[in-house]
Amino acid sequence: MRLSQEQVAQELQHMTGWEWIGDAIRKEFIFRDFTQSVAFVDRMVEPANTMDHHPDVDIRYNRVQVTLTTHDQGGVTEKDLQLAKQLDALS
């Protein structure tokens, strides 16, 4: 179920670096180099597949931008927040 803006805003207060962008949440992860960026993306495969919830990912050398939204719900759901927290733990 899609969360309200208030619900998402409240959750984001406890999640470092994540921001509300339209109907999604987004964070930029910064690493030492390209190799570490790609390794991070590799680590996110298992939790994303396990949840059957796949982020939009943009790799730019040492930066990985991750955007999460639940397309079939038209916005951010609890699933997005759960995956965001798992990705934070992987970084």
Side-chain angles (χ1 to χ4, degrees):
M1 184 167 103
R2 180 181 178 170
L3 301 174
S4 70
Q5 281 187 302
E6 294 79 22
Q7 290 171 306
V8 175
Q10 183 157 352
E11 287 293 323
L12 292 181
Q13 290 178 8
H14 309 289
M15 298 170 63
T16 304
W18 288 93
E19 59 184 333
W20 174 267
I21 304 293
D23 287 335
I25 57 173
R26 179 174 67 194
K27 180 174 181 175
E28 184 173 74
F29 295 86
I30 301 173
F31 300 96
R32 188 180 67 229
D33 56 26
F34 183 71
T35 301
Q36 285 190 345
S37 294
V38 172
F40 171 67
V41 173
D42 263 354
R43 289 191 303 274
M44 77 171 64
V45 170
E46 184 179 337
N49 278 339
T50 298
M51 292 179 70
D52 193 28
H53 195 58
H54 305 98
D56 293 332
V57 178
D58 181 25
I59 303 171
R60 307 280 172 124
Y61 183 63
N62 70 328
R63 298 171 185 268
V64 178
Q65 188 175 84
V66 177
T67 305
L68 295 168
T69 188
T70 304
H71 297 287
D72 63 354
Q73 294 293 316
V76 177
T77 66
E78 187 62 38
K79 204 173 200 181
D80 298 300
L81 298 173
Q82 288 173 3
L83 184 54
K85 290 173 185 174
Q86 287 187 37
L87 298 181
D88 281 342
L90 293 175
S91 66

